Amino acid sequence: MATATAPTAHTSEYQPQDGLLLEVEDLHVEFHTRYGVAKAINGVNFSVRQGECLAILGESGSGKSVTAQAIMGILDMPPAKIPQGSVKYCGHDLLTMPEDRRRKTRGPEISMIFQDALSSLNPTFPVGWQIAEMFREHRGMNKSDAYAQAVRLMERVSIPAAKQRVKAYPHQFSGGMRQRIMIAMAISLDPAVLIADEPTTALDVTVQAQIMSLLQELQQERHMGLILITHDLGVVADVADRIAVMYAGRIVEQADVRDIYAKPAHPYTKGLLDSIPRLDLKGQELSAIGGLPPNLMHIPPGCAFNPRCTMAQDICRRDRPELVEVGPHRKAACHFSEEVLNA
Amino acid sequence: MTKYIVRRLLQMIPVIIGSTFLIFAMVFALPGNPLAGKCGERPCPPAFVEKFRADHNLDDPLPIRYVKYLGDLAHGNFGTTFQGLNVLDELQKRYLITVKLAVIALLFEAIIGVLAGVLAGIRKGKFIDNLVLVSTLVVISIPTFVIGSLAQTIFGVKLGWFPVTTPSKPGWYDLLLPGLVLGSLSLAYAARLTRTNLAENLRADYVRTAVAKGLSRPRVIGVHTLRNSLIPVVTFLGADFGGLLGGAIITERIFNIRGVGGYIFQSINSRDGTAVVGAVTMLVIVYLFMNLLVDILYGVLDPRISHD
Ligand SMILES: Nc1ncnc2c1ncn2[C@@H]1O[C@H](COP(=O)(O)OP(=O)(O)OP(=O)(O)O)[C@@H](O)[C@H]1O
Ligand code: SF4
Ligand SMILES: [Mg+2]
């Protein structure tokens, strides 16, 4: 296909060591509001390698988007504050980097797509203009070259009649097409890391699958590190390599996809897995997790999940379980993960 | 787009006819004798009265007079005043002054108002924001004639920077101070409107996208946020300009400006129906065109608005 673009060699000052792109260490984020301090992220650790897809799962409010925004550097500070932690990209800490230098990583190095493409695209500029802006601002490209690049990218993400539609406005596209345009814009400068925050949640089911396969295709073609945020376990099964499950601003379990689906090591993960409808268990009750996520201003002591956990013991209300190795390539934060694994 | 404009122009015809008829009917229903005082202390001689009434169609019934008037209007004849002056000539002279005054006020509102609003909006809650909020509140709560008289006293009389009254053929500089006074109230509104819209839009998803695209802060604000934030401000300023073109009685009186506002006021006082109707008809037309212009501009600024 003439429109396919070979990934251009990365000739930036950022070179991954052994394929390691992103390392998030002990990340904390809190929101200072007039009602108090909401501790949205409480010590998150993970890494992303070239060509790898990490899915971040969790209920609403577990801190998935805030984690992504902290990596991307698009949190509103204030009210947000990052009291602790680091986000290293190819060994450079983004959090301590001068803002002007960090800004230049957004787009060419790390890029992001959002849930609602309609509100995330500027309603007053043509879509082609918005894609071309990446080339004009980051590469200093002239207008017609940048537009040509925009058309090429729109073709790459399979927008029909891209040449004619390059001057159309976001509201003139369908939801799926808009998300494709968001994707085209995000991958325009060949970023090494792409963060997709619930990219299909706002779309029809049939369109969801198309967008997911487009993302997967682009990730493999460009060897990108992909962070896929979702609260839909079904979506990630065939896309993700690894899964990190978040609860109350912490990662409670991290493992390869196959391992986690075969056997969760954390009661919360088990609860999530049990709540997806399965064809082979048709007719049986879905077991949603009882109770509500904790108030982030008053996270319970010990294990944050203990008020909802059927296995909770005294120790769970007293000591916070750390995220520890529970098997090859897998970690869990539960005092009784052995028991969960062997159940 | 062309279709839309043609449709809007056609819609203007009944509006113009309807509104001029209303004005016409109201003006000529006003009590008072246009001949009062025409001939000094004595009553006018009957021959003069007769000719005067015939010239101005005063004895025809109202609808006939109106139709005759419209016929004249269609030929570009706005009629003559009771003093025998050509209404159109007089209006043109007056209107030039009113337009100048309105342009000064509009520029003042647009430049200073938007600038203040932008500064306040991007520094919401900070010193500059509070400064803008308090000073615009002061301007909004003081009546125009107080601001006007104060400005005249301070900058005209005491400091002598501006002429105290305005010559009959004023230049731009002569109208500068009155223009600033005239624009001050709308400036305050424009600043607040800009501030609110900008602060709100800064939290919009597409602005977050602009940041995530690695754009510089000036570009995020100046290109991505401002465009959307200014749409309602432009609409407001456009409508305001339409109003300003209708003359400004208070400001004109304070600074002794011979504009359209004062003209209508005088004409009403002297029961000079032809002059009033002519002036108001022109104002209606100007206002309608301004509205059309604003709507077209709105469509240009916001691609989601379709005029097809
Ligand atoms: N600007 C903000 N001010 C205050 N609190 C915030 C702000 N942004 C996020 N939070 C809080 O941080 C917590 C985590 O939010 P986040 O958006 O990361 O959740 P999420 O996991 O992405 O959920 P969802 O699936 O609903 O998108 C939430 O409790 C939210 O209330
Ligand atoms: S630590 Fe305790 S409360 Fe927390 S998940 Fe494990 S068993 Fe449940
Ligand atoms: Mg979210």
Side-chain angles (χ1 to χ4, degrees):
Chain A
M1 196 162 61
T3 56
T5 45
T8 52
H10 240 69
T11 52
S12 76
E13 57 189 302
Y14 303 99
Q15 295 297 338
Q17 298 293 308
D18 302 323
L20 192 61
L21 291 170
L22 200 67
E23 292 163 280
V24 178
E25 278 162 20
D26 198 28
L27 182 67
H28 286 70
V29 179
E30 46 196 42
F31 290 96
H32 291 249
T33 69
R34 79 179 85 161
Y35 309 105
V37 179
K39 302 200 166 185
I41 307 295
N42 304 292
V44 157
N45 294 278
F46 63 82
S47 60
V48 180
R49 312 181 73 84
Q50 282 181 314
E52 174 186 64
C53 172
L54 171 74
I56 301 182
L57 278 171
E59 284 171 304
S60 191
S62 56
K64 306 180 297 288
S65 297
V66 172
T67 303
Q69 287 165 6
I71 295 170
M72 202 64 211
I74 54 172
L75 279 171
D76 283 326
M77 305 211 263
K81 210 170 155 178
I82 304 184
Q84 211 173 314
S86 67
V87 177
K88 290 208 182 89
Y89 174 70
C90 294
H92 302 265
D93 188 0
L94 297 172
L95 300 184
T96 54
M97 193 178 272
E99 175 51 30
D100 200 51
R101 192 167 158 219
R102 183 175 193 192
R103 171 171 78 74
K104 292 181 176 132
T105 66
R106 298 187 192 117
E109 308 293 339
I110 309 179
S111 207
M112 183 162 175
I113 58 179
F114 302 91
Q115 176 176 333
D116 184 357
L118 179 59
S119 65
S120 297
L121 288 165
N122 193 321
T124 52
F125 292 103
V127 294
W129 185 94
Q130 297 187 50
I131 300 171
E133 189 182 26
M134 298 297 280
F135 293 96
R136 304 197 64 188
E137 290 301 307
H138 287 278
R139 299 263 167 89
M141 210 178 262
N142 71 38
K143 207 169 163 177
S144 63
D145 288 353
Y147 259 100
Q149 293 291 331
V151 172
R152 171 182 69 84
L153 281 156
M154 284 169 70
E155 281 167 351
R156 176 62 196 89
V157 298
S158 311
I159 307 250
K163 243 203 188 79
Q164 288 78 47
R165 308 209 69 191
V166 71
K167 294 255 163 72
Y169 289 89
H171 71 274
Q172 295 168 318
F173 290 86
S174 69
M177 287 299 148
R178 273 195 292 266
Q179 194 57 288
R180 284 172 193 271
I181 285 158
M182 247 345 264
I183 293 171
M185 191 161 78
I187 62 160
S188 58
L189 302 179
D190 257 311
V193 176
L194 178 63
I195 305 173
D197 189 354
E198 309 205 25
T200 60
T201 310
L203 304 173
D204 292 345
V205 186
T206 46
V207 183
Q208 282 186 3
Q210 293 164 8
I211 296 290
M212 278 320 304
S213 68
L214 173 67
L215 273 176
Q216 191 174 18
E217 202 181 296
L218 289 167
Q219 186 227 343
Q220 283 162 4
E221 165 189 305
R222 289 157 190 247
H223 215 50
M224 284 187 294
L226 176 63
I227 300 178
L228 179 64
I229 294 173
T230 175
H231 46 215
D232 184 352
L233 262 173
V235 167
V236 293
D238 18 75
V239 182
D241 302 303
R242 281 191 307 133
I243 294 183
V245 180
M246 281 190 83
Y247 188 79
R250 285 175 70 83
I251 291 180
V252 294
E253 176 163 10
Q254 209 182 103
D256 288 344
V257 167
R258 256 171 282 111
D259 294 342
I260 231 169
Y261 273 80
K263 218 158 223 344
H266 194 283
Y268 178 65
T269 316
K270 193 170 179 315
L272 283 181
L273 284 174
D274 288 346
S275 67
I276 44 171
R278 283 169 53 175
L279 286 175
D280 52 329
L281 296 177
K282 209 155 61 181
Q284 282 186 296
E285 280 276 303
L286 292 181
S287 65
I289 307 166
L292 290 171
N295 179 342
L296 295 176
M297 292 187 194
H298 307 283
I299 296 175
C303 174
F305 188 56
N306 83 65
R308 302 168 72 185
C309 183
T310 50
M311 294 174 63
Q313 304 290 319
D314 280 347
I315 184 176
C316 304
R317 289 179 268 273
R318 202 176 56 233
D319 298 334
R320 188 168 76 177
E322 293 305 319
L323 189 67
V324 293
E325 210 93 18
V326 293
H329 288 122
R330 70 185 306 182
K331 292 174 176 173
C334 170
H335 294 301
F336 301 101
S337 50
E338 300 264 315
E339 283 82 343
V340 182
L341 270 171
N342 297 328
Chain B
M1 191 65 157
T2 322
K3 241 173 149 179
Y4 170 77
I5 295 174
V6 170
R7 199 173 70 229
R8 286 285 302 262
L9 290 175
L10 288 176
Q11 280 169 0
M12 283 183 188
I13 296 172
V15 176
I16 293 170
I17 293 178
S19 55
T20 50
F21 181 73
L22 280 179
I23 298 291
F24 198 82
M26 283 191 286
V27 165
F28 289 99
L30 280 177
N33 180 1
L35 284 163
K38 266 261 166 313
C39 311
E41 292 299 305
R42 311 166 281 124
C44 291
F48 178 78
V49 172
E50 209 166 297
K51 176 156 188 337
F52 187 88
R53 297 194 74 87
D55 282 353
H56 294 281
N57 303 325
L58 289 187
D59 295 318
D60 292 335
L62 184 67
I64 306 260
R65 275 165 65 187
Y66 179 65
V67 171
K68 280 185 179 168
Y69 178 75
L70 276 188
D72 288 345
L73 210 57
H75 293 97
N77 179 4
F78 275 69
T80 51
T81 66
F82 292 154
Q83 279 94 36
L85 293 170
N86 185 311
V87 173
L88 193 59
D89 285 350
E90 195 67 3
L91 270 179
Q92 272 170 349
K93 240 187 292 164
R94 301 282 194 145
Y95 216 68
L96 193 68
I97 298 174
T98 288
V99 169
K100 271 187 184 169
L101 197 60
V103 166
I104 293 172
L106 178 75
L107 288 178
F108 183 50
E109 289 165 20
I111 296 170
I112 309 290
V114 169
L115 202 67
V118 168
L119 287 177
I122 60 179
R123 299 216 176 278
K124 201 168 163 226
K126 303 278 169 58
F127 172 74
I128 182 91
D129 183 27
N130 287 315
L131 185 73
V132 168
L133 282 180
V134 170
S135 54
T136 51
L137 187 65
V138 168
V139 171
I140 289 169
S141 44
I142 301 179
T144 308
F145 71 88
V146 176
I147 295 182
S149 309
L150 269 178
Q152 188 179 42
T153 311
I154 296 172
F155 300 109
V157 180
K158 291 250 166 66
L159 296 171
W161 293 351
F162 298 95
V164 178
T165 61
T166 318
S168 60
K169 280 210 172 104
W172 288 100
Y173 189 74
D174 298 318
L175 292 171
L176 188 57
L177 187 62
L180 301 190
V181 169
L182 184 60
S184 59
L185 181 64
S186 294
L187 180 146
Y189 283 122
R192 287 176 159 239
L193 196 60
T194 307
R195 169 192 178 270
T196 312
N197 273 296
L198 186 65
E200 195 175 295
N201 276 300
L202 276 172
R203 280 177 297 160
D205 286 351
Y206 65 83
V207 173
R208 187 189 56 191
T209 307
V211 178
K213 284 169 83 174
L215 305 177
S216 65
R217 191 168 155 78
R219 191 168 172 91
V220 169
I221 293 171
V223 177
H224 283 268
T225 320
L226 214 50
R227 173 95 178 242
N228 242 331
S229 311
L230 287 185
I231 293 171
V233 180
V234 169
T235 317
F236 168 77
L237 290 177
D240 191 60
F241 190 57
L244 289 173
L245 289 177
I249 294 186
I250 296 172
T251 310
E252 284 178 20
R253 291 207 88 170
I254 295 172
F255 293 95
N256 190 32
I257 300 167
R258 297 161 59 78
V260 159
Y263 183 64
I264 295 175
F265 185 73
Q266 278 170 24
S267 307
I268 291 175
N269 272 346
S270 61
R271 301 287 174 269
D272 201 334
T274 323
V276 177
V277 176
V280 173
T281 303
M282 187 163 92
L283 294 189
V284 168
I285 293 172
V286 167
Y287 198 81
L288 288 176
F289 270 100
M290 271 315 296
N291 261 345
L292 176 59
L293 209 68
V294 168
D295 285 348
I296 292 172
L297 202 60
Y298 200 93
V300 171
L301 285 173
D302 190 343
R304 286 163 297 183
I305 308 287
S306 159
H307 285 323
D308 298 324

